[in-house]
Amino acid sequence: MDAFYASVEQASKPSLQGKAVIVGGLGPRGVVATASYEARRFGVHSAMPMGQARRLCPNGAYLIPRFSLYRQVSDVVMAMLRELSPLVEPLSLDEAFVDLEAGGVAFDSPTARETGERLRADIRAATGLSGSVGLAGSKMLAKVASEEAKPAGLLLIEPGTERELLAPMSVRTLPGVGPATGEHLRRAGITTVGELVEAGEDELVRMVGRSAGAGLYRMALGLDDRPVVAERDAKSVSVEDTFDVDLHDRVRIRGEVQRLADRCVQRLRGSGHSGRTIVLKVRRYDFSTLTRSETLRGPTDDPAVVREAAARLLEGVDTTGGVRLLGVGVTGLADYTQEDLFAQSLAAEPDGAEGAAGAEGAAGPAGAGGEAAEAGATEAEPEGAPGAREAAETPGEPVASPERRWMAGSDVRHAVYGPGWVQGSGVGRVTVRFEQPGSEPGRVRTFRVDDPELEPSDPLPLVGEGGPEGTV
DNA sequence: TCTGGGGTCCTTAGCCCT
DNA sequence: TCTGAGGGCTAAGGACCC
């Protein structure tokens, strides 16, 4: 999908169509997640600090991401892909590999192209969004093709033309070649894929290591036989927070680590896993990052166990000078073991945790609480207003302050004016634009931040229910 | 007002075991 | 008994991707 988050925002907020839209973190340390093509003309791009983006594009619309909506749209598109083939490998919310041959929907260039064009049209009909299609004989080439096809295009790489097509391209077009490797190669005088081939495999291995070097050489030749894999198991689960200002207080830091451990376990359980290795991540004031990890005797999904491990790991870290980010993760994932299930069911009984204590990683009472909290949290959109959630849970910050925080881009509903979205807020006022997907660009009104007639709401779907449903 | 969050994979080094 | 090779595991860091 092209400029996915920004495109969804434009489709969902009619007044933003054709405008520069920047989606990302709005705090003092936010970065751009996606910029619309209009914003890119100002030089704004992904991963750029928000401050810089605002300087380059002062009149853009700056919005927080609404992941739940993006996920909804993504589900629709992925379902359409699965109609083409059972072999669909999602890379992210907005990108996937599809093995068209395995689906029997394409067996040569003309049928592949036809399938791709039809898919693009169907996606537009179903979501109103534009996507790009890259068609080729391998994942690597399909990826390169889809990047070249953007925006709103289709590119097919004919078998036999791979090498000459790739040769003049920058090494950075190859997946896996980022800033560091790119610079490494540039210093050796290698800037194009063709020069990569000329350098030869041995030379590349010497420069960037065995695995990367061999892989690079094969890619440069257009060789890639990795299959499309439909089901891929998660390998780790982690959560992290960057703080608006560096943390110095050791007590506060410990508290944050505990919070993160709890959130991590909630996610771990949500994914149906337990894990064996606990990882603490600390980014210091100077942006240097260190990780500390500890491997348990067996997998756990017990919040108390993860909290304690994280706390132990923190004890070994010097935080004088300040901390800008903390994270807690779990790797070495396992499916639930029989013991875990047994322990959990016991823990769910009134005060039955005692009997389960023999099993490793027995789920404590906190576990049951966590699940209940999750089940009950249907009304408040978890990702919709991360800032507000943060404030409510963060010790040492204005807890549940009477005036709610209205994040730019978030969904609201007014008792009189209906659905709209927050355009901005400050000095006790919040400005709302009243419009919805498919409507005319809406009017703007300003309210007091504590206006009782105004409340947060869930995103409205891009296309009405019963709209053009997948006729792929 | 420089640099998010959630991941994956690879490399290196040390340790233990065979 | 000493030494070395090699594999597996753990820990830490780095590059990369969207």
Side-chain angles (χ1 to χ4, degrees):
Chain A
M1 306 296 290
D2 305 322
F4 184 53
Y5 299 173
S7 298
V8 172
E9 295 302 336
Q10 287 176 319
S12 141
K13 299 175 166 74
S15 61
L16 296 183
Q17 272 154 31
K19 303 268 172 57
V21 173
I22 298 97
V23 180
L26 299 185
R29 288 172 167 175
V31 297
V32 176
T34 313
S36 70
Y37 285 93
E38 295 84 354
R40 291 180 196 191
R41 281 201 281 276
F42 291 85
V44 178
H45 57 78
S46 297
M48 172 182 281
M50 273 293 180
Q52 196 180 344
R54 286 186 194 271
R55 279 193 297 275
L56 290 170
C57 184
N59 296 319
Y62 289 83
L63 310 172
I64 56 159
R66 294 186 295 164
F67 286 108
S68 65
L69 177 59
Y70 309 153
R71 201 167 293 122
Q72 281 175 31
V73 177
S74 175
D75 287 346
V76 171
V77 174
M78 295 295 172
M80 297 173 78
L81 299 183
R82 290 196 183 92
E83 303 240 344
L84 295 178
S85 169
L87 285 186
V88 174
E89 179 178 335
L91 293 181
S92 62
L93 283 181
D94 72 321
E95 213 173 0
F97 289 118
V98 183
D99 188 329
L100 296 178
E101 226 172 70
V105 290
F107 44 89
D108 58 10
S109 295
T111 52
R113 191 184 290 276
E114 198 181 308
T115 303
E117 291 293 7
R118 198 171 61 239
L119 174 67
R120 290 205 339 100
D122 288 342
I123 288 176
R124 179 172 282 287
T127 67
L129 302 176
S130 84
S132 297
V133 172
L135 298 161
S138 71
K139 292 209 284 192
M140 177 241 144
L141 290 167
K143 173 97 174 133
V144 169
S146 79
E147 291 299 324
E148 294 290 309
K150 281 180 185 183
L154 178 148
L155 180 65
L156 184 147
I157 300 180
E158 291 285 354
T161 67
E162 298 91 348
R163 274 189 66 173
E164 54 179 312
L165 181 92
L166 290 175
M169 291 183 172
S170 161
V171 292
R172 291 293 308 272
T173 50
L174 297 181
V177 181
T181 308
E183 178 58 21
H184 203 122
L185 293 169
R186 194 193 59 76
R187 278 204 292 267
I190 299 174
T191 58
T192 67
V193 178
E195 288 161 353
L196 229 32
V197 176
E198 284 171 35
E201 181 171 4
D202 292 348
E203 177 67 6
L204 296 178
V205 166
R206 200 183 54 71
M207 283 168 49
V208 300
R210 209 179 57 80
S211 172
L216 211 48
Y217 186 66
R218 285 180 57 78
M219 277 199 290
L221 292 175
L223 302 175
D224 172 21
D225 51 15
R226 296 169 302 162
V228 175
V229 181
E231 300 289 327
R232 297 177 65 185
D233 298 343
K235 302 243 170 26
S236 67
V237 172
S238 66
V239 295
E240 59 187 56
D241 272 348
T242 294
F243 305 100
D244 288 353
V245 293
D246 290 351
L247 266 39
H248 292 85
D249 177 17
R250 194 71 184 182
V251 175
R252 168 82 193 278
I253 291 170
R254 272 196 283 267
E256 293 293 343
V257 167
Q258 301 294 288
R259 270 183 57 243
L260 289 161
D262 284 344
R263 268 167 57 193
C264 183
V265 168
Q266 220 172 310
R267 291 258 304 279
L268 184 68
R269 292 183 158 201
S271 71
H273 287 103
S274 53
R276 204 169 148 229
T277 302
I278 316 302
V279 184
L280 175 73
K281 177 172 171 180
V282 179
R283 175 118 74 211
R284 290 194 269 218
Y285 65 98
D286 61 355
F287 217 73
S288 64
T289 306
L290 56 82
T291 60
R292 293 292 178 266
S293 61
E294 178 182 309
T295 300
L296 308 171
R297 293 241 290 277
T300 185
D301 69 345
D302 183 343
V305 171
V306 176
R307 271 199 302 262
E308 282 161 22
R312 272 196 301 280
L313 292 167
L314 177 62
E315 289 317 302
V317 177
D318 178 14
T319 57
T320 56
V323 163
R324 79 158 25 225
L325 169 147
L326 289 170
V328 172
V330 176
T331 72
L333 299 192
D335 293 341
Y336 280 113
T337 62
Q338 283 304 323
E339 294 93 308
D340 282 335
L341 286 171
F342 180 60
Q344 274 201 322
S345 63
L346 281 183
E349 308 269 314
D351 267 342
E354 194 63 289
E360 191 132 18
E371 266 161 33
E374 190 166 39
T378 48
E379 174 211 19
E381 170 50 51
E383 286 109 352
R389 202 172 150 85
E390 205 87 56
E393 289 178 0
T394 305
E397 283 195 10
V399 173
S401 78
E403 75 249 40
R404 295 160 286 185
R405 278 170 69 182
W406 301 103
M407 306 290 286
S410 59
D411 297 280
V412 295
R413 171 174 288 277
H414 188 275
V416 176
Y417 302 108
W421 56 279
V422 174
Q423 191 159 311
S425 70
V427 289
R429 293 276 187 274
V430 52
T431 301
V432 176
R433 188 176 287 275
F434 290 99
E435 60 183 2
Q436 51 189 301
S439 75
E440 292 295 306
R443 295 276 301 276
V444 164
R445 294 180 188 275
T446 296
F447 307 90
R448 289 173 39 169
V449 291
D450 56 358
D451 190 319
E453 295 194 305
L454 194 65
E455 58 184 26
S457 74
D458 287 332
L460 296 167
L462 285 195
V463 281
E465 322 290 331
E469 205 82 42
T471 46
V472 186

